[in-house]
Amino acid sequence: CNPVYNHPMGETLATKISAAKLSVATSDRIDETSKNCTYNCPDSHFLESWGDFEPEKGLYSLAQPTINTIFKTRQAQQSFLKWAGSDAVYKDYLMKFWEEKLFPTQSKETSFLKFWQTALHDGVYEPTSRMSLIAEMKGTASTDEAITAMSADEAISAIASPAVNDNLELALYSSSVLGWGDQSNNPYLHETPEPITRVCWGNYIAVSPAKAKQLGISTFETKTSVAKVTFAGGRKEISLPVVVQPGLEKNTIAIPVGYGRSGEDAGKIAGEAGGVNAFPYATMADGMVHYASLGDIKIALTGDTEHVAQTQTHHT
């Protein structure tokens, strides 16, 4: 992870990490966070590593290496074991955990090795007790029916509680091309048009046609108007070109994250790609980062214009 770049409190984190007596990063390259650390001990790629996961409580899965390590790296978990004074090999440590904690939660396999191989083959392991509990909670005859019932409940809940607010909403989102910006030094990603807006190279403020009309923006300008978004509470303002996006709710403005990295921290291409880092405009509440915010948010044109690399405008 790279929280100095992609967390709303990134600047504060950079200061605190730099002041720490000892700090260790496991990044595969020097970035905004690891450059502030005392040491950087590169982790192996996930395709070179063993691991297990619990994506949902009581639901387990495994990762296994598909290739040998290419560079001089060491899996982070192996480093943690070493620093803790253990000479255990991480794969053995992982298997021992599964044998002691998960193998007893099932009755289908009598041999741990067979159980382990089945879990690796299937990619996921659900203890019998978990599925029985779900079925019991939902009062259904089978676990399949229980899962269907849970999905239906979630869908109904989402439909039954729409957000109603006349204030301007800022929505930060991850572009389907650039993602969170981890690979922003790859020029092919910047050159690839974002599927909806068809924009390449740099981010923007997406607004609805109704909001564009209110701002006095023409949909098909050769140069795009630049707008400034301001916030209450002393948060930094942000200025970016405006892209008109049919389908947006009138009072929602949307900005893709993953841009605005410096060449010094992320590489030459990332530094030249343009755009603004939108992560600092996320908000913190109840210990969680929220990528949509309502409140005293205002948008106004600056009077400037800027060329946007847009391969095609909407429905043309």
Side-chain angles (χ1 to χ4, degrees):
C1 60
N2 185 10
V4 170
Y5 167 66
N6 61 25
H7 192 281
M9 295 175 65
E11 288 184 11
T12 304
L13 283 166
T15 303
K16 298 294 185 183
I17 292 170
S18 297
K21 196 170 182 180
L22 172 67
S23 53
V24 181
T26 59
S27 306
D28 67 347
R29 68 200 72 190
I30 299 298
D31 56 27
E32 290 88 343
T33 302
S34 57
K35 77 173 187 179
N36 292 286
C37 295
T38 317
Y39 298 104
N40 190 39
C41 305
D43 188 9
S44 296
H45 190 272
F46 73 88
L47 292 177
E48 302 169 335
S49 309
W50 284 97
D52 63 350
F53 311 90
E54 190 178 6
E56 189 177 298
K57 189 164 179 62
L59 182 70
Y60 305 94
S61 75
L62 285 161
Q64 57 185 311
T66 59
I67 56 171
N68 291 322
T69 51
I70 297 174
F71 301 105
K72 193 177 179 182
T73 59
R74 181 167 71 179
Q75 187 171 352
Q77 292 94 326
Q78 189 67 57
S79 294
F80 302 151
L81 282 170
K82 191 71 175 175
W83 300 336
S86 171
D87 289 325
V89 176
Y90 181 63
K91 180 191 175 184
D92 298 337
Y93 179 88
L94 184 69
M95 290 182 71
K96 186 179 179 184
F97 174 85
W98 275 65
E99 185 172 14
E100 292 178 354
K101 303 293 184 181
L102 297 181
F103 179 52
T105 64
Q106 55 85 50
S107 56
K108 185 177 179 182
E109 305 294 350
T110 56
S111 156
F112 169 68
L113 187 58
K114 178 66 172 158
F115 165 73
W116 173 258
Q117 290 171 343
T118 301
L120 276 177
H121 172 272
D122 294 347
V124 65
Y125 169 63
E126 292 185 273
T128 309
S129 56
R130 176 180 183 270
M131 297 311 296
S132 299
L133 179 63
I134 292 172
E136 184 181 329
M137 286 169 57
K138 290 294 169 186
T140 55
S142 71
T143 53
D144 287 343
E145 289 178 14
I147 291 168
T148 302
M150 288 172 72
S151 301
D153 285 353
E154 289 168 9
I156 291 167
S157 174
I159 293 169
S161 56
V164 179
N165 200 309
D166 291 330
N167 294 334
L168 201 61
E169 176 194 38
L170 171 67
L172 304 178
Y173 71 97
S174 168
S175 160
S176 58
V177 174
L178 200 64
W180 293 97
D182 299 345
Q183 304 297 325
S184 58
N185 200 42
N186 183 340
Y188 286 106
L189 294 180
H190 293 288
E191 193 71 17
T192 303
E194 202 278 332
I196 303 299
T197 61
R198 314 301 291 170
V199 173
C200 316
W201 296 99
N203 56 351
Y204 46 82
I205 301 168
V207 303
S208 67
K211 179 59 69 177
K213 185 177 180 181
Q214 195 178 70
L215 290 168
I217 298 172
S218 168
T219 308
F220 300 109
E221 292 175 322
T222 53
K223 270 193 171 183
T224 302
S225 299
V226 174
K228 177 171 66 177
V229 180
T230 55
F231 306 86
R235 290 165 66 197
K236 288 181 181 178
E237 60 186 35
I238 186 170
S239 294
L240 280 169
V242 173
V243 169
V244 181
Q245 178 52 56
L248 269 180
E249 199 278 331
K250 178 185 175 182
N251 288 324
T252 294
I253 59 174
I255 302 174
V257 297
Y259 296 85
R261 300 187 68 188
S262 74
E264 180 184 340
D265 296 329
K268 180 176 183 289
I269 298 299
E272 294 177 351
V276 172
N277 181 9
F279 282 112
Y281 303 94
T283 55
M284 294 290 297
D286 303 320
M288 300 288 289
V289 179
H290 296 265
Y291 294 98
S293 56
L294 290 161
D296 193 4
I297 300 170
K298 294 182 172 60
I299 183 171
L301 300 184
T302 64
D304 296 329
T305 57
E306 190 175 311
H307 281 297
V308 172
Q310 193 173 17
T311 60
Q312 184 184 31
T313 49
H314 193 78
H315 285 174
T316 62

